[in-house]
Amino acid sequence: MALCSVVCAMLLTVPGWTPAAAMGVPALALTALVVFAALTRFLFRSMAATGSVGRRDERRLDMTRGTLLPLAAGAAAAALVLWFTIPQVATKFGVLGVLLVTPAVGLLFGAINGIVIVGGRLQPFIVTLAMMVTALGLARLTAGQNNAVLPVYTGSNAVAGFDVLRSLVWGIVPVPGLFFLAAVVIYGAVLRFTSFGRYLYAIGGNEEAARLSGIDVNGTKIVTYAVQGMLAGVAAVLFVAQYRQGKPDAGTGLELDAIAAVVIGGTSLMGGRGSIAGTFAGVLIFGLLSNLLQLHNINSNLQLVLKGLIIVGTVLLQERNLGEILGNLRLNRARGDPATREPPEGETEPRRYGGSANETS
């Protein structure tokens, strides 16, 4: 999000082949090439599979439909986006341009995340943490060492139409809220009604079992990380529109809020369980909690402590370990006070501890 906010602000305010344009335009072209080639291949496979359930050979594509036509469709899409974006490099980008280029940068870095995790068989936490640090450094390098922020003044150094992303629809609904609701609806439907969504649950529940079941685990994981990066890019555009600036450290600390909202929404950190509807409710609950803490002037450091405690407590409740912990505490308290213990059946006195081996036996 930090890197994409800098890219967005620079595309809006600085003409020419800046580092943002040199990064964003090829990223969009590559994204268009891969996405449209994959969609074309998927359509051909779907048509080949019609009426051939259980007959694997009939679903195989020849060289033309399996490779040449998908590549041609992807190349045409890439040429189209280059035709649309390259003229804007010299004159600064408009609203649609940044809405296309900035998420493409996020998607590229998200895909790199997935490729490194899958190819290197590394722990996702380590790779994503390393990517976060890398992206923050790239954001500072892109913005320049002397630029703490990149200001965006619509109608002055940026197009006036960019204000539409921070406006209210019918004077009531904020445009960023519409993006949020659209994401909830789209990805809720993906998880519930598509095989890709079922694959995500299967991989989260047991990755090895999903692999043995014939699921393309590696491809699914790469696509998932790429989509996550794209959504971070969309959030960066909305951040720039809302705060009128691109920041090399935008979003720092929001990872804790994201984890808390998802966990409160019922998603298990162990994998295999969760829903977009629950996450939607978790975002609303956690946002309300944050607003209440700020309205009551709770110290910001104490707010971080409370958020951490909320995450731990929610995970304990989800995994049903809280009751077991409380039960063990009660049991240990009872064992620590022999005078209050009931003697076991057949004994007339409480058993003594700490004696010799013969006494305890």
Side-chain angles (χ1 to χ4, degrees):
M1 180 177 171
L3 175 61
C4 289
S5 75
V6 171
V7 169
C8 177
M10 189 169 286
L11 292 175
L12 286 168
T13 60
V14 184
W17 283 100
T18 62
M23 190 187 309
V25 173
L28 180 60
L30 180 61
T31 299
L33 173 65
V34 174
V35 170
F36 277 85
L39 286 176
T40 305
R41 182 179 173 83
F42 173 77
L43 290 176
F44 282 129
R45 285 181 64 88
S46 298
M47 289 187 291
T50 302
S52 61
V53 177
R55 288 176 286 177
R56 188 180 184 89
D57 291 340
E58 295 186 20
R59 291 184 228 150
R60 293 178 180 173
L61 301 177
D62 54 24
M63 177 65 72
T64 301
R65 294 182 301 167
T67 303
L68 297 180
L69 288 179
L71 284 178
L80 183 63
V81 298
L82 289 174
W83 171 81
F84 174 72
T85 54
I86 288 180
Q88 298 186 57
V89 172
T91 61
K92 295 188 287 192
F93 278 70
V95 179
L96 182 58
V98 295
L99 279 174
L100 290 174
V101 174
T102 306
V105 174
L107 186 145
L108 177 63
F109 279 89
I112 293 173
N113 255 340
I115 292 171
V116 173
I117 290 169
V118 169
R121 297 182 180 180
L122 302 175
Q123 285 292 333
F125 176 79
I126 300 300
V127 177
T128 50
L129 183 65
M131 178 59 76
M132 181 181 73
V133 177
T134 302
L136 289 173
L138 286 175
R140 293 189 175 95
L141 290 173
T142 303
Q145 295 292 335
N146 299 323
N147 294 325
V149 297
L150 293 174
V152 177
Y153 303 119
T154 52
S156 175
N157 67 344
V159 293
F162 193 65
D163 267 342
V164 71
L165 296 180
R166 65 192 305 269
S167 61
L168 297 176
V169 179
W170 302 307
I172 301 174
V173 183
V175 171
L178 295 179
F179 277 84
F180 175 55
L181 293 176
V184 169
V185 172
I186 291 171
Y187 293 104
V190 168
L191 284 181
R192 186 173 180 84
F193 300 114
T194 68
S195 58
F196 180 80
R198 297 295 97 191
Y199 293 166
L200 291 180
Y201 281 107
I203 295 170
N206 190 321
E207 183 174 329
E208 188 59 28
R211 195 186 308 276
L212 295 175
S213 300
I215 295 174
D216 182 9
V217 173
N218 293 343
T220 302
K221 290 170 72 174
I222 291 173
V223 171
T224 304
Y225 282 105
V227 171
Q228 175 271 329
M230 180 195 70
L231 292 175
V234 174
V237 176
L238 299 176
F239 173 90
V240 174
Q242 192 72 23
Y243 294 99
R244 299 178 183 271
Q245 62 183 7
K247 290 187 65 177
D249 60 350
T252 301
L254 287 182
E255 60 274 5
L256 181 63
D257 292 2
I259 294 170
V262 172
V263 170
I264 290 173
T267 298
S268 172
L269 294 182
M270 301 299 106
R273 188 171 76 248
S275 67
I276 294 294
T279 300
F280 175 73
V283 169
L284 296 182
I285 293 171
F286 195 72
L288 178 62
L289 175 64
S290 298
N291 287 337
L292 288 175
L293 292 175
Q294 292 177 5
L295 289 174
H296 286 81
N297 294 321
I298 304 299
N299 185 278
S300 59
N301 296 320
L302 181 58
Q303 290 186 32
L304 294 176
V305 175
L306 292 175
K307 290 177 181 179
L309 293 176
I310 289 170
I311 295 174
V312 174
T314 306
V315 173
L316 287 174
L317 286 173
Q318 280 185 2
E319 304 303 324
R320 301 178 182 177
N321 294 332
L322 187 59
E324 182 179 348
I325 292 174
L326 295 177
N328 289 336
L329 290 176
R330 288 196 297 269
L331 183 60
N332 291 334
R333 190 180 300 111
R335 287 177 176 175
D337 188 2
T340 62
R341 290 187 57 205
E342 292 290 336
E345 186 177 354
E347 294 186 12
T348 57
E349 296 180 358
R351 183 177 297 176
R352 293 178 298 170
Y353 296 90
S356 64
N358 291 332
E359 289 176 337
T360 56
S361 64

